[in-house]
Amino acid sequence: MSIDMATLALMGAAQALLMAVVLWTSTGSYAGVARASLRLRAGAQALEAAAWGLLGLRGHVADWLSIPVANAVMLVSYAMTVHALRMLLGAPSRLRMVAVASVAGWLAIVWYTWGATSFQARMVCASLVIMLDLALLIAPLLDSLRRDGSAAKRVLLATLAIAVAIVLWRNAEPLLSSRPATGLLVPTPINAIYMMFSAMQPLFTSVGFLLLYNETMQAELRLLARTDPLTGVNNRLALIETIGRLLDAAGSSGRPLGVLMLDVDHFKAVNDRFGHGGGDRVLLSLVERIQRALSHGDVIGRVGGEEFVVLSPGNDLCRTRALGERIRTEVERAQLVFDGHVLGMTVSVGVTEAAPGENDVTALLQRADAALYAAKHAGRNRVVTTGDVAGVPPASA
Ligand SMILES: Nc1nc2c(ncn2[C@@H]2O[C@H](COP(=O)(O)OP(=O)(O)OP(=O)(O)O)[C@@H](O)[C@H]2O)c(=O)[nH]1
């Protein structure tokens, strides 16, 4: 079977171009960093198509086009891909390092093309830059090897690992076989494998990238659906999920879970006096105050207009009451200044505890709510535990 290398290179170009169009047309479905990254990756894919096109046309176009220009375009395409992926994953871009290596590598390629003519040296120079790019692409994907790692990252990691293996083999082969390295379009087995992989790589990497953009968007949506837009803390949905998880953990560890429900006193008067915008600022300040009193592991969520819940894993009724008292004092001490007016604020707090083994989220919140109601009823600006409320047990197992 004879394989025409130029045809493979042109197939790779066509495939890369098609994937560039697919990626570009998908950009409309994404926003923010994902969109910027996807555009960059689509551009990189288009440049890769151009590079493979020029490489495949060797002999039909001028050498300066099919060697230095094609290599420059390929190196820029790799650099853009590195930037696109690392930007998406929040890794440092390393753009300067990539730029310096790419320019140095390209100058060496030009030198070994027209100065000291050596295909093998040219190949090694291009490979060194590509290996650096591959390492920078692979590094932020390694966490996908964990048991619960991302499937999209694994697809990309596998594709890039194969690329590393093939680049290494292509460079090692002339040394091991004592045959000089030959131009890419010469049909040797390693060239055929290299070209076949390069023709397929755009498809695999694009699938990996698209899966990754999807995962990123889903994670963002998940976070949005669970975050209170005003204060940035957990919303009711997230809080209910967290209580369920913490109750399970309390069941297996045998430790209690403290629960506080708190509500701003006379908040309507704040709105009436300072308007809804002023009320919103008070809520933001309140959350900041509450968070100051929390310890590592405590969780806060907003469950109503001016009603918040704090979960304190490992704390029994007595310690949770102490936490409630700290929050109450912290809020009472805060002096907010609005348009020259000093505004004092207080909260009423209901405290309960989930005994190990308890798993009824609704009953737990109802108990905290009953204690909060009792605190309001008793005059506000106080902490009441379920133990203090007649008819409400401190905890139910
Ligand atoms: N600014 C602002 N106000 C809100 C928000 N959500 C609910 N509110 C207001 O919170 C106020 C709650 O009033 P009430 O339930 O009567 O309670 P209160 O005035 O705090 O009185 P007590 O709870 O009995 O001490 C209402 O005026 C709501 O309009 C919000 O997101 N922002």
Side-chain angles (χ1 to χ4, degrees):
M1 180 179 75
S2 75
I3 299 173
D4 179 30
M5 295 293 137
T7 308
L8 276 181
L10 293 176
M11 273 173 59
Q15 176 103 259
L17 191 61
L18 181 68
M19 287 302 129
V21 173
V22 170
L23 292 181
W24 189 262
T25 50
S26 312
T27 54
S29 319
Y30 300 90
V33 176
R35 184 179 209 164
S37 166
L38 188 52
R39 283 189 169 164
L40 206 55
R41 174 60 194 147
Q45 196 75 90
L47 287 183
E48 194 179 329
W52 280 114
L54 289 173
L55 285 168
L57 290 174
R58 172 111 21 113
H60 301 280
V61 295
D63 274 0
W64 65 268
L65 268 177
S66 72
I67 303 173
V69 171
N71 276 289
V73 172
M74 188 66 92
L75 293 180
V76 171
S77 150
Y78 263 96
M80 284 167 72
T81 302
V82 170
H83 191 47
L85 183 73
R86 295 179 70 92
M87 172 205 278
L88 182 71
L89 299 177
S93 83
R94 306 275 181 252
L95 208 53
R96 190 173 300 176
M97 184 199 290
V98 171
V100 169
S102 302
V103 170
W106 184 76
L107 289 174
I109 288 168
V110 171
W111 168 251
Y112 285 117
T113 305
W114 284 300
T117 313
S118 161
F119 174 76
Q120 192 155 334
R122 203 166 83 202
M123 179 180 79
V124 170
C125 293
S127 301
L128 282 175
V129 183
I130 288 174
M131 287 299 277
L132 171 73
D133 292 334
L134 288 171
L136 289 171
L137 286 167
I138 285 174
L141 299 171
L142 288 175
D143 61 3
S144 66
L145 295 175
R146 287 195 323 243
R147 212 152 50 94
D148 57 347
S150 138
K153 283 187 178 181
R154 283 183 190 160
V155 170
L156 275 175
L157 189 59
T159 309
L160 295 169
I162 295 173
V164 168
I166 292 178
V167 171
L168 283 177
W169 183 19
R170 187 160 171 253
N171 282 272
E173 207 258 356
L175 304 174
L176 298 174
S177 67
S178 328
R179 279 193 306 263
T182 55
L184 254 186
L185 300 187
V186 179
T188 61
I190 179 62
N191 277 351
I193 289 171
Y194 185 79
M195 295 296 269
M196 275 193 272
F197 177 73
S198 300
M200 295 306 293
Q201 193 187 4
L203 178 66
F204 294 134
T205 26
S206 297
V207 168
F209 262 89
L210 280 177
L211 287 173
L212 196 55
Y213 291 120
N214 249 343
E215 274 186 7
T216 312
M217 197 170 72
Q218 284 195 15
E220 276 171 14
L221 286 177
R222 205 185 132 73
L223 188 67
L224 261 176
R226 283 163 178 73
T227 305
D228 173 50
L230 174 64
T231 59
V233 300
N234 293 295
N235 65 12
R236 178 178 273 275
L237 171 68
L239 197 89
I240 303 281
E241 282 177 2
T242 310
I243 297 178
R245 226 182 28 252
L246 291 179
L247 283 178
D248 286 347
S252 32
S253 68
R255 300 175 70 212
L257 170 67
V259 179
L260 294 150
M261 189 175 281
L262 52 102
D263 183 285
V264 185
D265 298 327
H266 303 303
F267 189 61
K268 186 173 177 310
V270 176
N271 271 340
D272 291 346
R273 188 168 168 205
F274 298 103
H276 211 265
D280 284 356
R281 279 161 65 198
V282 171
L283 288 178
L284 279 170
S285 157
L286 171 78
V287 167
E288 200 191 307
R289 293 281 157 174
I290 298 173
Q291 281 171 330
R292 277 190 208 176
L294 301 186
S295 308
H296 180 72
D298 293 345
V299 178
I300 175 173
R302 185 179 179 199
V303 290
E306 16 75 273
E307 201 168 278
F308 294 83
V309 165
V310 170
L311 309 170
S312 193
N315 274 345
D316 60 12
L317 199 62
C318 183
R319 290 163 64 129
T320 311
R321 179 192 229 301
L323 172 60
E325 198 52 57
R326 278 204 303 281
I327 292 174
R328 192 197 64 74
T329 337
E330 184 73 49
V331 174
E332 190 178 32
R333 272 210 310 256
Q335 295 286 311
L336 295 173
V337 182
F338 274 119
D339 306 327
H341 301 280
V342 176
L343 170 72
M345 185 176 33
T346 59
V347 285
S348 300
V349 186
V351 180
T352 190
E353 147 191 48
E358 177 173 358
N359 54 18
D360 188 340
V361 176
T362 312
L364 184 65
L365 289 178
Q366 272 170 358
R367 282 208 309 278
D369 195 35
L372 170 61
Y373 181 79
K376 289 273 181 190
H377 199 65
R380 296 179 175 79
N381 190 22
R382 68 196 59 223
V383 180
V384 171
T385 68
T386 37
D388 306 328
V389 184
V392 181
S396 69

